[in-house]
Amino acid sequence: MNTQNNNRKPNRNSRSYHGRPNGSRRPTERTGGTDRGQQKDGSPSRPKTGATSRKPSGKKGPAKRSGRGRSRMANQRRRGTNPSLQHRITTTDEKNGVVIPEVTSEDVVRVIPISGVEEIGRNMIVFETKDDIVVVDAGFQFVSEESNAPGINYILPNTQYLEERKHKIRALVVTHGHLDHIGGIPFIMERIGNPPIYTQYLTSLMIAKRQEEFPHLDPVDMHVVKEGESFTVGKTKVKTFPVTHSIPDAMGIAFETKHGDVVVTGDIRLTHEDGEVDKEERESWESVGKNNNLLMLADSTNADREGFSAPESMVFEALENIIKNATGRLIIGTFASQFERLIHVIKMCEKYGKFVVPEGRSIKSHIDIALMAKMMEVKPGVIISGQEIEDHPSDRIVVLATGAQGEEFAALMRMATDKHKYITLNERDTLVLSSSVIPGNEIAVQKLKDNIYRKNVRVINYKSASVHSSGHGNAGELNWVRQRVNPKFLVPVHGHHFHLKSHMYSAIENGFNRENIVVPDNGSIIEIENGEKISVRQEKAPTELLMVDGFTVGARQEVVLRDRQSLANDGMFVIIATVNTKNGKLRKSPDIISRGFVYLRENQQLLSEARILIKKTVEKHTDRMHPLDLDFVKDELTDVMSGFLMQKTQKTPMVIPVLIGI
């Protein structure tokens, strides 16, 4: 199938999806082109309360200062503590000041791994020619406990390079439906001009399901393609081909250029038996290899592992035996996106007279998608709710649960910590962890396992039985694929740097020319000239982390996260005092609120000394000050109290003075 889409208007074959209203996004607060809570120079400001700043008078009042001098003095005071709580992440990325030349020659092909090559997650690759840009995937990355980014929900690809060239963007092509490839779509589509999306049917359903959570967004312009079909966007012909992954409807893509095809494998493994590749899969890759392939960007996640990965057929067999022989309640924790595994478990339960209990929103959502896509048919009564567990014998219950990566609020962790509404683990249960540990989740998974083992539950994992196989091929499979595709140049993608280098070394050992391999970083700008020379430009596309903070999307703001880290480490110390605007005296003893600092009931002496010092400091600086400059007094009070608390407790809480002039 060939479809032309130069004006980004849906054709007869396109599907547009509209979200259902279930909420709205809070608008980002911006004032005068700068972040709320920040001055124009980027320094944090304090919330203003009380009298308006005016020129002070009187012999003992503060000397008149220029705005620039006062800002500099305020910055000096803030080195010890930063009391602002009003920072918000902006929707405008910081510009790095580097000018990246445009592609001006038809003999130059540019490829940029925007993200996903120094990490696992937030995958995005940019293919660019003189006339067109096509974006491949738009995933996100979950924030781990070790990321030092409190309050951040997800990390996105940085789209600044694309925003500056949105007039050239012809399409977003999505290889498959995992969140590290589709999760960023609701957050970045508007930023890059809402280009049409091309993908296969199941992936389109998963994207549409996520869009329902963002009803305020424009409906996406979805074009459903079948594996093996091609389409044209702008002047670029895009070919698709089927690949094997841990989710159905995964596809690779190839961009046709003047000097050969640029092949993006997406996430891949091979269907094989003891290293003998399935005939259909072999023929598919050999068909790709018949083209003049200039460059291959290939999955590297398991490139550090030798040989071939374990086939999924072994997992199916192992799970069937466990389901068949279970004498008590069986709980299976797996990735919700493992459609084939979910379907297999449900069919085996149907075969052996068991009842399936889906627990976790994503599990329930993906089972609904599988039924909608007619990937399976299930007899009525096989799938039941958690409320119905007590109505059936425990040895006929199989729970499919989310949370195998140790997510705090997922179903498995709630069961393990006795917080689940319907399921309490006991020693008669068997728990199967049908997943491996994603890099970065090791500590969370260990906490989950410790909590589960405290319940004396029998645990089966991929190390003790064949209950999981990776969706990514080992080095032997990657070499097999590369030899069939036969590209002139190779760029390993999708993985940490050691994964990419492992892929490179493996390719070299198998006869590939080292000079034709580029190992990229996030933002590396790779160019091929005349189909003969591959190089990496000195300039890089912007790579500053783009974060989702509640309903706000934007670049990492150090001030925001520094404040949150300060609150987490030393807490806050809030001073509320009313000042007589006529004589500068306090009207009553100041109120003090402390959170995460010290327990005030057990520190009455500290509290008394603090109140005396607050009164003394305020009245000292307001003496003969007419009119009152409460902002100046707050700055001085912050410095004095920060030093006092540090001296008394060896802690530096965030000091927040609130002075109210009456």
Side-chain angles (χ1 to χ4, degrees):
M1 178 188 75
N2 290 303
T3 58
Q4 186 83 19
N5 192 333
N6 294 328
N7 299 318
R8 300 181 187 167
K9 295 180 179 179
N11 58 25
R12 295 178 182 177
N13 297 322
S14 69
R15 299 170 182 262
S16 292
Y17 295 99
H18 299 261
R20 295 196 295 265
N22 62 352
S24 61
R25 176 176 291 184
R26 180 177 57 197
T28 304
E29 299 180 48
R30 303 175 66 191
T31 306
T34 59
D35 286 352
R36 180 181 176 184
Q38 284 187 299
Q39 301 177 29
K40 292 182 179 179
D41 63 358
S43 63
S45 64
R46 289 184 170 85
K48 295 183 178 181
T49 46
T52 305
S53 297
R54 287 174 288 183
K55 175 182 175 182
S57 62
K59 294 180 180 180
K60 294 188 179 181
K64 178 180 178 181
R65 297 183 297 275
S66 68
R68 180 176 301 176
R70 179 163 184 169
S71 176
R72 183 164 57 250
M73 294 179 68
N75 284 339
Q76 293 173 349
R77 295 192 188 99
R78 292 183 185 111
R79 288 175 184 169
T81 184
N82 182 359
S84 176
L85 291 177
Q86 295 189 11
H87 302 300
R88 300 191 59 77
I89 291 181
T90 179
T91 56
T92 303
D93 297 331
E94 291 185 11
K95 306 299 179 183
N96 60 10
V98 177
V99 178
I100 302 172
E102 299 295 329
V103 179
T104 57
S105 171
E106 294 183 353
D107 293 314
V108 173
V109 174
R110 178 179 289 180
V111 175
I112 308 173
I114 292 291
S115 52
V117 295
E118 294 181 75
E119 61 212 341
I120 300 292
R122 65 188 194 114
N123 295 285
M124 176 181 282
I125 295 172
V126 170
F127 168 85
E128 183 175 6
T129 62
K130 177 178 176 290
D131 301 300
D132 302 323
I133 288 178
V134 181
V135 183
V136 180
D137 294 331
F140 66 28
Q141 185 179 59
F142 288 103
V143 179
S144 66
E145 294 181 10
E146 294 74 41
S147 63
N148 208 26
I152 299 301
N153 305 102
Y154 314 114
I155 303 176
L156 304 173
N158 188 306
T159 55
Q160 182 180 321
Y161 181 90
L162 293 172
E163 291 172 47
E164 294 168 353
R165 296 161 177 81
K166 65 173 67 176
H167 62 283
K168 286 182 65 176
I169 300 175
R170 308 301 176 215
L172 167 64
V173 182
V174 181
T175 59
H176 65 280
H178 283 154
L179 286 175
D180 60 335
H181 293 259
I182 69 169
I185 290 176
F187 304 107
I188 70 170
M189 285 297 282
E190 185 177 349
R191 300 170 76 97
I192 65 174
N194 290 306
I197 299 175
Y198 289 81
T199 193
Q200 294 198 80
Y201 179 57
L202 177 64
T203 309
S204 75
L205 294 179
M206 298 178 74
I207 293 172
K209 195 74 172 177
R210 278 189 56 76
Q211 292 298 113
E212 291 178 3
E213 301 175 20
F214 302 86
H216 58 286
L217 297 178
D218 292 336
V220 294
D221 179 12
M222 187 77 72
H223 297 246
V224 176
V225 298
K226 295 181 179 179
E227 57 188 35
E229 292 182 339
S230 63
F231 55 91
T232 301
V233 288
K235 296 181 179 180
T236 301
K237 183 176 181 180
V238 184
K239 309 169 187 176
T240 70
F241 55 91
V243 300
T244 301
H245 187 40
S246 56
I247 185 172
D249 271 8
M251 68 179 185
I253 55 179
F255 299 103
E256 192 175 277
T257 76
K258 180 178 179 181
H259 299 285
D261 289 1
V262 173
V263 178
V264 181
T265 67
D267 293 0
I268 56 169
R269 70 177 182 203
L270 294 177
T271 303
H272 68 93
E273 290 293 337
D274 298 325
E276 184 64 31
V277 178
D278 176 78
K279 178 184 177 183
E280 185 178 350
E281 180 138 38
R282 185 174 67 250
E283 291 175 350
S284 175
W285 282 111
E286 288 174 349
S287 176
V288 175
K290 292 178 182 178
N291 301 321
N292 173 27
N293 293 317
L294 180 63
L295 169 67
M296 184 170 80
L297 297 100
D299 181 11
S300 306
T301 306
N302 283 346
D304 58 318
R305 303 179 188 179
E306 296 296 327
F308 280 56
S309 62
E312 186 75 4
S313 58
M314 292 177 58
V315 178
F316 288 175
E317 184 178 345
L319 288 175
E320 180 173 357
N321 288 332
I322 293 171
I323 293 170
K324 177 182 178 181
N325 299 320
T327 57
R329 192 167 52 181
L330 181 63
I331 300 159
I332 301 176
T334 187
F335 297 116
S337 57
Q338 294 266 17
F339 278 91
E340 292 178 345
R341 199 170 299 175
L342 295 181
I343 292 169
H344 178 75
V345 168
I346 292 171
K347 298 308 290 183
M348 290 304 100
C349 289
E350 188 177 63
K351 177 179 178 180
Y352 294 109
K354 310 269 183 170
F355 298 95
V356 179
V357 183
E359 280 300 322
R361 188 178 68 166
S362 57
I363 287 276
K364 295 174 182 177
S365 174
H366 288 173
I367 289 177
D368 289 343
I369 290 173
L371 292 170
M372 185 189 311
K374 300 191 182 303
M375 297 171 63
M376 67 173 179
E377 294 182 0
V378 183
K379 294 179 182 178
V382 172
I383 299 176
I384 63 174
S385 67
Q387 295 171 286
E388 300 174 81
I389 289 178
E390 297 299 324
D391 299 335
H392 303 280
S394 60
D395 62 345
R396 297 182 65 191
I397 295 295
V398 176
V399 180
L400 278 171
T402 59
Q405 296 302 305
E407 298 95 326
E408 182 180 359
F409 301 109
L412 276 181
M413 186 62 84
R414 285 187 284 119
M415 294 177 201
T417 54
D418 294 332
K419 295 179 181 178
H420 196 279
K421 191 173 182 180
Y422 304 113
I423 300 172
T424 302
L425 298 179
N426 60 65
E427 59 187 13
R428 297 184 299 276
D429 295 332
T430 298
L431 195 148
V432 178
L433 292 175
S434 182
S435 65
S436 58
V437 181
I438 295 176
N441 293 343
E442 292 85 357
I443 294 177
V445 173
Q446 187 59 52
K447 289 180 181 178
L448 172 67
K449 289 164 67 176
D450 284 344
N451 285 322
I452 290 171
Y453 274 92
R454 287 185 182 278
K455 306 296 182 184
N456 297 319
V457 175
R458 179 191 174 211
V459 178
I460 302 173
N461 60 33
Y462 70 99
K463 293 184 178 180
S464 59
S466 299
V467 293
H468 177 68
S469 66
S470 176
H472 304 269
N474 290 4
E477 293 162 84
L478 300 178
N479 285 320
W480 186 97
V481 168
R482 191 196 67 257
Q483 290 165 357
R484 298 306 180 279
V485 175
N486 193 29
K488 185 171 187 177
F489 302 106
L490 173 67
V491 175
V493 294
H494 200 293
H496 293 279
H497 188 75
F498 88 94
H499 291 124
L500 310 189
K501 280 288 176 66
S502 297
H503 194 165
M504 180 191 78
Y505 293 138
S506 177
I508 294 171
E509 289 173 4
N510 282 267
F512 200 79
N513 187 353
R514 169 66 182 90
E515 300 302 317
N516 289 356
I517 303 176
V518 169
V519 176
D521 291 329
N522 287 335
S524 291
I525 300 176
I526 303 165
E527 292 185 345
I528 302 177
E529 298 180 38
N530 297 310
E532 296 295 332
K533 178 184 176 184
I534 189 168
S535 61
V536 181
R537 295 193 66 92
Q538 185 176 2
E539 309 91 351
K540 293 182 71 173
T543 57
E544 183 183 10
L545 297 182
L546 199 63
M547 296 181 169
V548 179
D549 179 21
F551 288 129
T552 308
V553 179
R556 180 189 182 104
Q557 298 292 314
E558 289 294 340
V559 170
V560 180
L561 297 182
R562 187 169 66 243
D563 283 353
R564 292 176 184 174
Q565 289 155 8
S566 176
L567 287 168
N569 292 331
D570 293 316
M572 60 189 290
F573 191 86
V574 183
I575 302 163
I576 304 174
T578 54
V579 182
N580 189 322
T581 55
K582 294 181 180 180
N583 56 25
K585 304 292 184 182
L586 294 189
R587 286 181 168 267
K588 64 175 184 176
S589 180
D591 293 323
I592 295 175
I593 301 172
S594 174
R595 292 292 183 270
F597 171 48
V598 293
Y599 187 44
L600 294 183
R601 290 186 180 180
E602 296 179 357
N603 290 272
Q604 291 299 315
Q605 181 65 28
L606 174 69
L607 212 58
S608 298
E609 293 178 16
R611 285 197 171 99
I612 293 171
L613 184 57
I614 292 167
K615 185 175 187 296
K616 180 180 176 181
T617 302
V618 171
E619 295 184 352
K620 172 186 174 183
H621 289 95
T622 56
D623 185 27
R624 299 186 185 182
M625 180 191 287
H626 299 290
L628 293 184
D629 183 355
L630 293 186
D631 287 326
F632 169 78
V633 178
K634 284 192 295 182
D635 287 346
E636 298 296 331
L637 182 58
T638 297
D639 290 345
V640 171
M641 292 308 300
S642 295
F644 169 76
L645 296 174
M646 177 63 183
Q647 180 184 16
K648 291 291 184 179
T649 66
Q650 295 302 304
K651 295 182 179 180
T652 55
M654 183 178 288
V655 176
I656 306 174
V658 180
L659 301 184
I660 304 171
I662 297 178

